[in-house]
C-alpha cells in the first residue's frame, strides 16, 4: 500500500506528507526520485560523489563521522521522515556511514506509465473540447413516425364486387332463370351451384345498388353492406274456367291458373355479402343475407346559430337575389366576384324567391351569410338552404360594391 501511495504522489507530483506520528517507530518512506539509503559496510573516504541531491548529505555525514562518529539521523529538505544511518564500528574518518543504492526499476516503470496515461487523458480531453467548439455535433434525428394504415385489405374492390353481386342476386325473371345464374357465376367460386336458393318464380329488378361499409374479418374475409333499391312485381292469380269442357285437355287448360304481373312500389333493402380475398381477387363465399334499412338517422345536436348583422343583411339582400336569378339561368359569372368560379345550375330551375337572408356578425372584406331559397322544378316547389360568401370589390374609380364569391349547399358553419 505504501508503494502505491508513493507511485501516485510521484505521478501527480504532490509533496511528501509532513510529520508522521509513527516516524520514530517505523522506517520512513523515501521519495521515488531520490536514492534509498540503507545501512551498509563502510566505504573509503575517497568514494565518488553521490548522484542527484544526495552529495551534500554525503559530505556532511563524512564531516560528522570524522568529528565524533556514531549514529546520524538524516532527513531531506522536503519534510520526509528521518532515516537512521548506522556508521561503521570504530572512528574511521574516511568512511561513509551508509550505502547508496539505485531506485527499483519496477517503480520507475510504473511512474513513467502512470504519467503517460495521465497526460494522454489530458490531451484527449483538450482535443475533444476544441473539436466540439469548432464542429457542433448534430442533434439526433427523430425516429420516423409510425403510421397505422389499418388492415391491408382491398376495400374498394370488395365494394365493387359486392355491389355487382347484389344486383345479380336480387334480380330474377321466371321467364329467363339462366340469366341470373350466369350473372352470379362471375363473382362466386368455381363449381358453386348458382341456382340454389331461388325457386325460379317471380319477377324483380334492381334499380340502384349502393355499396356501404366493409367489415374486415380474419383470414382475408370480410362482410360488405350493400343498400339496394328494388322494383318488384307481385303475381296475382286469376283463374278462368271455360264453361264448355269438351275434353280432358281443354279442362286442364281451363283449370290452370293464369298469372298476370302487377307492378308494386319500389323499396330499399339491405344485403350483407360475405367475401374473401383469394388468388389476387375478391369472390363471394356463399349466400348473402337480406337485412333491414334504418328508417331514420340518429339524433344530432342543432347547429350553433351565430348572431346576425341585420343592417348588413338588408344592405346586401339585393345582391344575393340578383345572383340567384342568374344562378338559375346559367349565368352566375355575370354577377359573381372577379376570379370566382361557380358552376351553373341544371336547366329547368326557376327562382321562387329568397325566403330569408341573414349575415353573420363580423367585419372585413369577406362576410358569410345564410340564404333560404325556394326553387320551382318539375311542377313542384322545393326549399333549399345555402351558405353564401360575399366579398367587397373596389373599382378603378374607387367605387365599392359587394359580390358573391362562394356558394355552398346546406347549413354549415
Amino acid at each position: 500500500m505504501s508503494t502505491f501511495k508513493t507511485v501516485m504522489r510521484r505521478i501527480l507530483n504532490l509533496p511528501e506528507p509532513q510529520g508522521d506520528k509513527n516516524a520514530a517507530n517505523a522506517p520512513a518512506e523515501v521519495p521515488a526520485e531520490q536514492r534509498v539509503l540503507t545501512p551498509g559496510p563502510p566505504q573509503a573516504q575517497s568514494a565518488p560523489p553521490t548522484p542527484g541531491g544526495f552529495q551534500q548529505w554525503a559530505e556532511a555525514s563524512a564531516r560528522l563521522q570524522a568529528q565524533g562518529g556514531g549514529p546520524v539521523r538524516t532527513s531531506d529538505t522536503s519534510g520526509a521522515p528521518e532515516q537512521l544511518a548506522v556508521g561503521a564500528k570504530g572512528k574511521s574518518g574516511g568512511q561513509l556511514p551508509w550505502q547508496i543504492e539505485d531506485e527499483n526499476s519496477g517503480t520507475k516503470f510504473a511512474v513513467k506509465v502512470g504519467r503517460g496515461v495521465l497526460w494522454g487523458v489530458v490531451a484527449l480531453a483538450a482535443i475533444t473540447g476544441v473539436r466540439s467548439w469548432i464542429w457542433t455535433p448534430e442533434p439526433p434525428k427523430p425516429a420516423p413516425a409510425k403510421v397505422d394504415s389499418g388492415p391491408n385489405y382491398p376495400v374498394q374492390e370488395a365494394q365493387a364486387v359486392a355491389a355487382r353481386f347484389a344486383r345479380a342476386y336480387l334480380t330474377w325473371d321466371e321467364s329467363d332463370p339462366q340469366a341470373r345464374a350466369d350473372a352470379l357465376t362471375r363473382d362466386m367460386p368455381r363449381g358453386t351451384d348458382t341456382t340454389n336458393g331461388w325457386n325460379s318464380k317471380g319477377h324483380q329488378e334492381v334499380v340502384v345498388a349502393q355499396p356501404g361499409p366493409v367489415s374486415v374479418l380474419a383470414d382475408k374475409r370480410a362482410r360488405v353492406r350493400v343498400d339496394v333499391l328494388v322494383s318488384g312485381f307481385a303475381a296475382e292469380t286469376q283463374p278462368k274456367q271455360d264453361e264448355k269442357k269438351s275434353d280432358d285437355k281443354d279442362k286442364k287448360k281451363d283449370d290452370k291458373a293464369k298469372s298476370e304481373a302487377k307492378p308494386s312500389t319500389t323499396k330499399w333493402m339491405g344485403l350483407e355479402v360475405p367475401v374473401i380475398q383469394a388468388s389476387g381477387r375478391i369472390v363471394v363465399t356463399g349466400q348473402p343475407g337480406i337485412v333491414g334499412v334504418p328508417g331514420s338517422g340518429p339524433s344530432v345536436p342543432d347547429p350553433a346559430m351565430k348572431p346576425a348583422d341585420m343592417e348588413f343583411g338588408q344592405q346586401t339582400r339585393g345582391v344575393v337575389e340578383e345572383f340567384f336569378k342568374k344562378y338559375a339561368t346559367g349565368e352566375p359569372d355575370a354577377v359573381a366576384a372577379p376570379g370566382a368560379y361557380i358552376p351553373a345550375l341544371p336547366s329547368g330551375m326557376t327562382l321562387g324567391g329568397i325566403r330569408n337572408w341573414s349575415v353573420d356578425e363580423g367585419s372585413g372584406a369577406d362576410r358569410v351569410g345564410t340564404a333560404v331559397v325556394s326553387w320551382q322544378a318539375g311542377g313542384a316547389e322545393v326549399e333549399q338552404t345555402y351558405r353564401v360568401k360575399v366579398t367587397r370589390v373596389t373599382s378603378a374609380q374607387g367605387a365599392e360594391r359587394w359580390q358573391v364569391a362562394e356558394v355552398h349547399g346546406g347549413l354549415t358553419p
Side-chain angles (χ1 to χ4, degrees):
M1 180 63 69
S2 61
T3 304
F4 175 77
K5 292 181 180 180
T6 303
V7 172
M8 293 305 298
R9 282 199 300 272
R10 296 281 66 79
I11 292 175
L12 301 177
N13 198 21
L14 298 176
E16 297 292 333
Q18 298 290 339
D20 190 352
K21 293 182 180 180
N22 299 325
N25 301 326
E29 293 181 1
V30 180
E33 293 180 352
Q34 299 179 0
R35 300 296 184 179
V36 179
L37 305 181
T38 58
Q43 296 180 357
Q45 186 175 4
S46 60
T50 58
F54 291 91
Q55 178 64 31
Q56 54 180 338
W57 303 112
E59 294 177 355
S61 177
R63 289 195 299 269
L64 291 175
Q65 184 70 21
Q67 292 177 2
V72 179
R73 293 183 179 275
T74 62
S75 64
D76 58 8
T77 57
S78 62
E82 294 180 352
Q83 181 179 6
L84 180 63
V86 180
K89 295 181 180 181
K91 295 183 179 180
S92 306
Q95 293 181 354
L96 292 177
W98 61 76
Q99 181 178 358
I100 301 175
E101 296 181 358
D102 292 337
E103 188 176 14
N104 192 319
S105 61
T107 303
K108 291 183 179 180
F109 178 77
V111 171
K112 292 181 179 180
V113 171
R115 286 180 178 176
V117 172
L118 180 60
W119 280 110
V121 172
V122 173
L124 179 61
I127 295 173
T128 304
V130 173
R131 183 178 180 273
S132 64
W133 297 341
I134 300 175
W135 297 285
T136 304
E138 296 182 359
K141 296 181 179 180
K146 297 182 178 180
V147 180
D148 187 5
S149 59
N152 186 16
Y153 200 84
V155 174
Q156 295 182 350
E157 182 182 356
Q159 289 177 324
V161 171
R164 184 172 59 232
F165 176 83
R167 180 179 292 274
Y169 184 82
L170 294 176
T171 298
W172 51 70
D173 186 359
E174 61 182 12
S175 63
D176 188 10
Q178 188 61 35
R180 179 179 181 271
D182 294 341
L184 293 176
T185 303
R186 180 177 181 181
D187 296 314
M188 299 192 72
R190 183 180 304 173
T192 304
D193 184 7
T194 57
T195 61
N196 187 23
W198 177 49
N199 65 353
S200 301
K201 300 294 183 180
H203 182 82
Q204 180 172 276
E205 295 180 355
V206 173
V207 180
V208 175
Q210 180 64 46
V214 178
S215 301
V216 180
L217 307 176
D219 300 330
K220 297 184 179 181
R221 297 177 181 269
R223 183 172 54 249
V224 185
R225 167 66 180 261
V226 182
D227 290 337
V228 183
L229 179 63
V230 298
S231 176
F233 297 86
E236 183 175 318
T237 303
Q238 298 179 352
K240 293 183 180 180
Q241 298 181 356
D242 192 352
E243 296 180 356
K244 296 181 179 180
K245 302 177 182 180
S246 58
D247 51 25
D248 294 340
K249 184 176 180 180
D250 294 337
K251 185 178 180 180
K252 292 181 180 179
K253 290 182 180 180
D254 293 337
D255 292 338
K256 183 179 180 181
K258 296 183 179 180
S259 300
E260 296 182 359
K262 182 179 180 180
S264 64
T265 58
T266 58
K267 57 185 176 182
W268 282 97
M269 63 175 59
L271 190 70
E272 290 189 344
V273 183
V275 298
I276 188 173
Q277 183 184 16
S279 301
R281 58 168 297 187
I282 297 294
V283 294
V284 179
T285 59
Q287 292 183 353
I290 296 176
V291 295
V293 177
S296 63
S299 301
V300 296
D302 295 332
M305 302 301 295
K306 297 181 179 179
D309 188 342
M310 303 301 296
E311 181 179 356
F312 187 79
Q314 292 296 331
Q315 179 184 349
T316 56
R317 185 181 181 90
V319 174
V320 175
E321 289 181 346
E322 181 65 19
F323 168 79
F324 277 100
K325 289 179 182 179
K326 297 293 185 181
Y327 194 29
T329 59
E331 301 174 327
D333 296 339
V335 292
Y341 174 71
I342 303 175
L345 291 177
S347 60
M349 303 288 292
T350 303
L351 179 64
I354 304 296
R355 299 289 180 86
N356 184 45
W357 167 246
S358 62
V359 182
D360 301 340
E361 285 187 349
S363 59
D366 295 326
R367 304 290 295 273
V368 179
T370 302
V372 180
V373 183
S374 64
W375 297 102
Q376 295 177 356
E381 185 173 290
V382 292
E383 189 176 276
Q384 308 286 305
T385 302
Y386 298 90
R387 290 286 284 177
V388 182
K389 176 182 177 181
V390 294
T391 186
R392 184 167 52 202
V393 179
T394 304
S395 64
Q397 292 76 20
E400 295 183 351
R401 66 183 184 276
W402 292 90
Q403 291 182 291
V404 175
E406 293 180 12
V407 178
H408 301 282
L411 184 59
T412 56

